[in-house]
Amino acid sequence: MPSSYPGRHIPLPRLAPSTSGKRWLSNYSSTEGVLYCMPHFEQLFKESGNLNKNFTSCTLFMDSMNITFLNHLDLSKDIYTIKVRIIKLWRQPSFKVPGESYAIEMILMDEEGNKIQATVMNKYFIKFEKLLQEKVCLVIKKPCLGDNTSAYKCVDHPHKLFLNFDSTVTICNDFVGSVHGFSLTAFDQLRDNLILDESTVDVIGYVHTYFEIEEFTKKNGKLSKKMNLQLHDLELHDLEDRNIFVTLFESYAEKMWKYLSKKEEGVAAFVILQFGRYKFLRGRAYVSTSYNASSLYIDDDIDEITVFKNKFYTSYFTCLPKKVVKLLQAIVYRLHKSFPMGVMIFLLKTVYHSMVEVNEINQVTTVIVVGTIKCITSGIEWFYNACKKCNKKVIRKFVATETSDGSDQFEEKQILECTSESCNEQVVSAIPRFKIPLRVQDETGVLSLTMFDRDAQKILKKSAKELVDQILDEENNNILPNELKELVDKKFAFKIDISKFNLNNNYKFFTVIKLTDDHL
């Protein structure tokens, strides 16, 4: 059978429709001397449990209708029947009548996975509108076939279908084939520029980087919104080279921004963009939403995303040293109480290091270390007085002010001043916040870490103010509360920041930016 769309249909007698895309005898099974498509054979056998005559009802019904597949449509023929699923539907607004639709546009798919674009003009809405919904399966008789002359084709089929008063549409309940009709394109094909510019593609990946939604002015002077992000695929090595650049417009941008804004920090977002517009520019692969024709799936409960997630987490852990895998799985479990679906994305962006390796790092980065707290570093306060407004450190200052009795005398008062530029030179109120200096050890060495208020409260189940209040009767503010002493000899996983300040000043106290909520 020709691979391109032929000028005419050459039927295969007595062969029921195949969902495989090819009609080879190996794709069929037979009963009572009649060949059946294997998916129909298996599906209907499960339904009936035997090979009695009622088993063939669906296939015989299709034969009686003389179903034509979409890649066999012929402009020279007027009468044929197609069996399709609506995998995308949108309305074209009327420019003459605000609030009205000019036409309904659809992307249809047959049981072999072939796709075609279809249009219903508004004067035919009364006949077809109630039947047309996404994912619904239809048998359509006598549609009108023409060339697809659109400058931006949603699918690669050269023709387009039109429904008119001569057409008939009925609901079909025995469609065999994909629900969504994804034709996922490998990132390598996009990055290697193996796809024609302005083609539509389906891509799946996880959101590696994203930027805030923004407004811009279109060429027609109207305001619109867009959002840029980067998707990565399953190849986790050389992450910076494994991405494609995605731009979402209008409602797609709003949907993604709303989801990511509410998503728990550190949890991966898995995305399928269907019917995206591809372009290769300056050595990079770009995919954008295509007007209303695109579909955006974000962590939806569909097979393709579920399979991708499982492969994704599996490929991540198998690329790590074996001695680290079991440890990281334990870390993940304690961080999100589920594995692998609840894994935090920081594990995907963060590399595990031993402590001796951390001291050799010479670039800004974040790493994961696992170690045992050996002590709270002495000689350094475990809390600081923070501005209630911004949590930055406050300093004590003494100012001289005139007395209120008019005696021209001055009195000295103590005030608190925030060190932040936003609060500087303003008298502020303060509250104690944790800044705990830790000495942590693994089998390779020792690190000095600083754990701040958020994570310290999470571990200690008390605020710094509560612990400070416990020791107010003591003259020495450096007395260590029992709650801090109990941290000693407990093992944690720490995500730490190697900052520019650490590197430029050879400062070996590293900031803890996340840790497990329970000791290992």
Side-chain angles (χ1 to χ4, degrees), residues 138-282:
L138 305 171
V139 172
I140 303 175
K141 295 183 179 181
K142 296 183 67 175
C144 183
L145 182 67
D147 287 331
N148 189 351
T149 58
S150 173
Y152 297 99
K153 295 181 174 62
C154 300
V155 294
D156 61 0
H157 201 296
H159 300 140
K160 187 175 184 179
L161 291 173
F162 300 86
L163 302 189
N164 52 40
F165 277 129
D166 291 331
S167 307
T168 61
V169 175
T170 55
I171 299 294
C172 167
N173 294 317
D174 63 347
F175 186 92
V176 178
S178 169
V179 174
H180 303 284
F182 297 129
S183 299
L184 298 171
T185 302
F187 279 24
D188 284 339
Q189 288 186 285
L190 302 176
R191 285 188 295 261
D192 294 341
N193 196 21
L194 301 179
I195 307 294
L196 291 177
D197 262 12
E198 302 299 336
S199 298
T200 55
V201 295
D202 302 346
V203 294
I204 185 171
Y206 72 93
V207 178
H208 176 262
T209 305
Y210 67 91
F211 303 90
E212 289 190 7
I213 191 171
E214 58 181 292
E215 287 189 341
F216 71 100
T217 303
K218 297 194 291 187
K219 292 180 180 180
N220 61 8
K222 293 183 178 181
L223 281 178
S224 186
K225 294 180 179 180
K226 68 177 180 179
M227 181 180 178
N228 294 311
L229 51 92
Q230 294 180 23
L231 290 185
H232 277 183
D233 59 6
L234 290 172
E235 298 294 333
L236 294 177
H237 55 277
D238 299 328
L239 283 178
E240 296 307 317
D241 297 326
R242 304 296 307 182
N243 57 3
I244 61 170
F245 298 84
V246 176
T247 301
L248 307 175
F249 291 102
E250 299 179 347
S251 61
Y252 302 101
E254 292 173 345
K255 179 180 180 180
M256 177 63 77
W257 179 249
K258 181 179 180 181
Y259 180 85
L260 294 177
S261 298
K262 293 182 178 180
K263 176 179 68 68
E264 184 178 352
E265 180 185 0
V267 177
F270 297 90
V271 174
I272 292 178
L273 177 58
Q274 187 177 29
F275 303 122
R277 184 73 56 188
Y278 169 74
K279 194 169 186 64
F280 193 80
L281 186 65
R282 293 188 292 273

Side-chain angles (χ1 to χ4, degrees), residues 1-10 21 68-75 107-110 112-117 145-148 153-160 183 200:
M1 184 178 70
S3 58
S4 60
Y5 297 104
R8 53 182 294 162
H9 169 39
I10 305 176
T68 301
F69 290 101
L70 297 180
N71 62 337
H72 292 155
L73 296 179
D74 189 342
L75 283 172
I107 298 176
L108 308 178
M109 180 185 69
D110 67 17
E112 288 189 333
N114 306 303
K115 301 181 183 74
I116 194 170
Q117 192 168 341
L145 182 67
D147 287 331
N148 189 351
K153 295 181 174 62
C154 300
V155 294
D156 61 0
H157 201 296
H159 300 140
K160 187 175 184 179
S183 299
T200 55

